[in-house]
Amino acid sequence: MESVFNDFKRAIEAGDGYGVAATISPVPPPSDPGRLYSFHRSTNSYSVQTDFRYAIVYNNDIQLNKMEGNSWVDVFVAYWKAIGELLLAEEVTNQGKSSQAPWGRVYEAWKEMATVLLRGYTGLIFPAWTVPCLYVAGKYLRVFAIKADEQAAQSNGKVTFNAGFQDDIVSSMGKNETLEDAARQINRIFAACISDRAPLEESRKWALYYITNLLFKTYFKASHPGNLSKNVLRSLQASQADIPPLEAFPKAHQVTFKYYAGVVAFLEEDYARAEEHLTEAYRLCHKEAQKNRELILTYLIPCHLLTTHTLPTQALLAPYPRLQRHFTPLATCIKRGDLAGFDAALHAGEAEFVKRRIYLTLERGRDIALRNLLRRVFIAGGFEPAKEGEERKVRRTRVPIAEFAAAIRLGSGGVGMDMDEVECMVANCIYKNLMKGYIARERGIVVLSKGGQAFPGTGV
Amino acid sequence: MYATTVPWRQSAEIAVMHPSPAFTTVPARRKFAPPEPSPAPSQPKAPTKKVDWPQAVREYVQRSFAPDAAVAGIDREEIEKVLKKVITEAAERDALVSTNWEAMPLPQQIIHTERARMAMPVAAATEPWRRDTTPDRHVALAGYSNGDSSKKRKSADTVMSDADDDSIPPWRKANPRNVFEDRITYANQGQADRVEKRQKRKLDDLAKGTSKYQENLEKRKQRFENGKPGNRSPQSLHHSQDGSPFDVNEGPIIGTCQDLEKRYFRLTSAPKPETVRPLHILEQTLDLLKKKWKKESNYTYICDQFKSLRQDLTVQHIKNEFTVNAYEIHARIALEKGDLGEYNQCQTQLRALYSQKLGGHPAEFLAYRILYFIYTCNRTDMNDILADLTPTDKQQPAVKHALDVRSALALGNYHRFFRLYLETPNMGAYLMDMFIARERVAALANICKAYKPDVKIRFLTEELGFESDQDCVQFLCDHGAQGLLEDRTDSVVFQTGKAGLLFENAKNAAFRKVDIKGQI
């Protein structure tokens, strides 16, 4: 108990928000691994209130007004209870009975702590510089909720059935009910921050991006990233004028925010905006944060493939073996116009791609592979017989469908397509502006654009 | 938001969390573990004071609260109540010493059995401990069914899965199958899987129906062989006989209604047993509904009837193959009539029921689900569904077909898409009908840009899966392309080169918004 309150005192005196936050962390500092345990042992549920009051309010060393002191007492009492539940859950887990560990109770106790803490802010009792406490509260709401859901899934199965007089038998099939509750709690914190009317110097608005990022993280884990994340972005947008510019926030907050904003746009298929955000995130990201850079590239590469039809270089992928493993085969096949190879590579990485939600985007890379294949036909077609008086050689722009069909058969590893389907593929390329020209069906030929624009952006 | 917090925990939670003085004495005793890692189980208070309890009674009380006797879903309060009742009654009968306390079931077992019996209308479970009990104990035990001992009961789950074996906690059971399945007698099993389908799909289904029929006969035989004789004593239940008004919190209702048909009303309070049909009646109801649907095809009537059927199943907590069957049939009928809202509700329910492995046709409905997400253009859900697919799922012909449809559309391969449309298994074509027009417009936008100067109508008819050239021309005219048709000597051609943005705009309009009714 003493070490906790000594730290608390020191942090309060120094005005160190992260220091205060560290005293309500559910993870002991590395220098003192037994701290939570001894903290919890230092008092009991009967005298915890009094003990803490003595340590905070009646302690002449800590200069807090009475109201603030009392609020901190409430926070620490709730924290003490949560720690009790946490230690118990960890103990059960350590005994190898992880399926029985009461993480649900840990979550509820932590939620109570978060509520008491938040009340201190909404009641204008805690100063804004202590907002890192909210970070800790929110962060572990999510962590404990995930554990509680895992535990619930292990013991109850996923389905809840109705016991009341509803019409249908199943009431819910949520895998993540606790996590969704956590998202609501974090949203409350978000609301408390965004609605703060205090002048900027002492505003909780400085917590906004951290909390927003936490919300994104929670929504993504709860597997409905789209709509809810958009709502958050929208409310940030709406009060843009009152919020300090993003650049004024810590870099870590900026990078994470840009990353999630990019991924949200990516999932909405707004690849241009996604690329903008992700590029920014990549630029700001610390160069040694390999894992984060890898995450950013996971979305930035497919984005880039679709917007500019360019493939990642080996130099870019080299530091990330996972990306290399998944993207290199795809890139090679796209370059070569190897349709069968592309399908195989996509299939091989399917589990990973689906998990990252990039499968449906990468699938479109097949268009580029096809374009490259058709382009080779065009180049292999050579030039028109030179006409008199013309210096420049002109490529043969009338290509029989049968030649494309042969190429597709080669590209698909010998599996043929009927002519109508080949036409359909060519039509797609034309429709998507990957190829300029038209199909003259009656004559069985494709008439391509003259003047070096048949395959826009590729030099021919 | 508290749905995951099981009720017995919640109460303790509240006590723990609120530091108000009123609670301070309670949590100290009620909390199971903290602050000490391994707390000694606190001794329960004996129900009445100043009596010198016999050692056997004390031991019985101790056993009741022993940590290893704890059963999930039963909290301490309930145990205390039942314990008190058991001992008080023994005391009143002056049987404190004469009762064989060793053989007396623990309170949690009593609660358990009581719940199990409430959950199961037809057969009263004969538990091993009942065999050597005296008749008057039966009376004493039966008395609990009307007591408030099980007021807390919220989830049907615990009841269903715990009923057979107290010693195995629910989370240890590998497969949360409905343990009552083997107690249910299907009056007419063969009907269970035959479903009326419409004209063109009839032949397919007949073939499938017979094999299904065989399969079910097999299953049924197995059920009879494995069924424990002890589970089959058809005793009517104490608490449903006295006709006392049903309390929602008390557990599933046991219906007594004998009418086959019933209008649907949304419940605003607990239903009366006499308005609810028990399972064997519902089975006949389903039969009747199937016949009526075949004969009259009155969808308003059928939908209403199915909703009341579903409601009756729900209030009685019936989750078995019959439930799956009823939902499947309703889903198919809704699909056929294009009632996507109702279909979707059934689909959601079915997904959960399939996860319980209660039988039915998971592959067929998984395929519908994929097609449905194609229709709604829901990329997030489509991604989730792809993530959840197992290799076995992908082998199923219907699922494979749906996945091929998805990939064809994703790649803009309308040629393949319309081939797949023509060979859709089961009732998937009803779903595909929902977006076939949209995809035709999209394909036409494509064709208009790529083909010049014109294409034959015959080509469009074949590529876009129209039934005839007339249908194709009609479709073009409906989209304002009548001016672009040209009669030639041998055929009619469509002047794609002059169509411009006509179909491009139509396509954008068609994809703009999809109405998703009742989707979860």
Side-chain angles (χ1 to χ4, degrees), chain A residues 4 20-28 36 39-40 72 74-87 89-90 102-119 131-148 178-179 181-183 185-186 188-189 210-211 214, chain B residues 2 5 13-14 16-18:
Chain A
V4 170
V20 178
T23 61
I24 56 160
S25 165
V27 176
L36 294 185
F39 173 68
H40 194 255
W72 281 116
D74 291 344
V75 170
F76 276 103
V77 169
Y79 171 66
W80 181 83
K81 285 176 182 164
I83 292 302
E85 299 289 356
L86 174 67
L87 291 172
E90 280 176 350
W103 287 108
R105 294 173 54 131
V106 179
Y107 172 74
E108 289 298 330
W110 190 259
K111 180 165 119 184
E112 177 63 21
M113 199 285 284
T115 310
V116 173
L117 181 70
L118 189 60
R119 208 179 293 143
V131 286
C133 294
L134 287 175
Y135 301 172
V136 171
K139 178 176 170 188
Y140 289 98
L141 270 175
R142 177 176 174 277
V143 171
F144 294 143
I146 291 171
K147 293 204 174 188
T178 323
L179 190 60
D181 184 53
Q185 301 307 320
I186 299 172
R188 284 177 53 208
I189 300 180
Y210 183 95
I211 299 295
L214 197 58
Chain B
Y2 281 98
T5 320
E13 212 63 67
I14 293 161
V16 174
M17 284 180 335
H18 292 286

Side-chain angles (χ1 to χ4, degrees), chain A residues 144-422:
Chain A
F144 294 143
I146 291 171
K147 293 204 174 188
D149 282 331
E150 277 168 5
Q151 194 269 333
Q154 269 178 20
S155 54
N156 303 337
K158 283 191 247 167
V159 184
T160 328
F161 287 99
N162 270 327
F165 38 84
Q166 281 85 356
D167 286 348
D168 278 315
I169 194 110
V170 179
S171 60
S172 77
M173 213 186 141
K175 292 181 248 183
N176 305 308
E177 283 187 49
T178 323
L179 190 60
E180 285 177 17
D181 184 53
R184 281 189 289 275
Q185 301 307 320
I186 299 172
N187 208 346
R188 284 177 53 208
I189 300 180
F190 178 82
C193 292
I194 203 167
S195 61
D196 191 8
R197 292 269 165 261
L200 273 189
E201 306 80 67
E202 48 198 75
S203 168
R204 289 192 297 271
K205 288 204 166 107
W206 291 102
L208 266 179
Y209 282 101
Y210 183 95
I211 299 295
T212 303
N213 293 337
L214 197 58
L215 266 181
F216 283 149
K217 222 169 160 179
T218 313
Y219 291 146
F220 272 71
K221 177 81 184 176
S223 79
H224 33 59
N227 292 335
L228 293 173
S229 306
K230 257 187 287 172
N231 291 344
V232 177
L233 284 174
R234 214 171 292 136
S235 51
L236 276 180
Q237 192 68 39
S239 39
Q240 198 67 55
D242 308 328
I243 303 174
L246 181 60
E247 300 78 54
F249 283 79
K251 266 229 173 88
H253 301 194
Q254 293 181 40
V255 173
T256 316
F257 177 75
K258 282 283 170 193
Y259 166 72
Y260 277 111
V263 176
V264 170
F266 181 92
L267 295 176
E268 273 177 60
E269 299 181 79
D270 185 347
Y271 295 113
R273 223 179 39 176
E275 185 165 356
E276 193 184 305
H277 285 306
L278 290 170
T279 311
E280 186 73 358
Y282 187 72
R283 195 179 62 76
L284 289 170
C285 188
H286 195 283
K287 68 175 187 295
E288 267 154 41
Q290 287 288 73
K291 193 171 159 256
N292 288 346
R293 286 165 79 96
E294 180 173 327
L295 278 172
I296 296 170
L297 284 177
T298 305
Y299 296 93
L300 189 52
I301 290 173
C303 242
H304 213 59
L305 174 66
L306 287 196
T307 50
T308 65
H309 303 165
T310 45
L311 297 165
T313 61
Q314 280 308 310
L316 178 72
L317 293 177
Y320 317 101
R322 199 181 56 89
L323 294 184
Q324 205 168 25
R325 196 169 61 247
H326 289 301
F327 285 134
T328 307
L330 282 177
T332 320
C333 294
I334 290 176
K335 208 173 227 160
R336 281 206 308 248
D338 177 357
L339 297 180
F342 179 86
D343 292 342
L346 193 64
H347 182 73
E350 184 177 331
E352 174 73 14
F353 296 148
V354 167
K355 194 176 133 215
R356 297 275 168 208
R357 299 179 178 276
I358 53 176
Y359 180 85
L360 299 178
T361 305
L362 285 177
E363 193 179 30
R364 297 213 205 152
R366 201 176 194 273
D367 288 335
I368 317 294
L370 180 71
R371 193 269 318 265
N372 290 347
L373 183 67
L374 300 185
R375 182 174 171 271
R376 288 182 167 213
V377 175
F378 179 61
I379 290 170
F383 297 90
E384 298 280 358
K387 281 180 194 161
E388 267 179 60
E390 264 185 33
E391 291 283 304
R392 267 181 66 239
K393 288 200 280 184
V394 179
R395 286 196 180 275
R396 189 186 58 148
T397 49
R398 288 160 189 248
V399 186
I401 285 285
E403 289 184 16
F404 288 122
I408 287 176
R409 183 178 298 122
L410 278 175
S412 322
V415 186
M417 267 185 192
D418 68 35
M419 280 305 173
D420 285 346
E421 191 165 358
V422 173

Side-chain angles (χ1 to χ4, degrees), chain A residues 163 167-168 363 423 428 431 439, chain B residues 154 264 327 412 450-451 504:
Chain A
D167 286 348
D168 278 315
E363 193 179 30
E423 279 184 25
N428 257 293
Y431 181 68
I439 304 171
Chain B
K154 284 262 161 55
Y264 164 75
Y327 275 104
Y451 286 88
E504 186 61 30

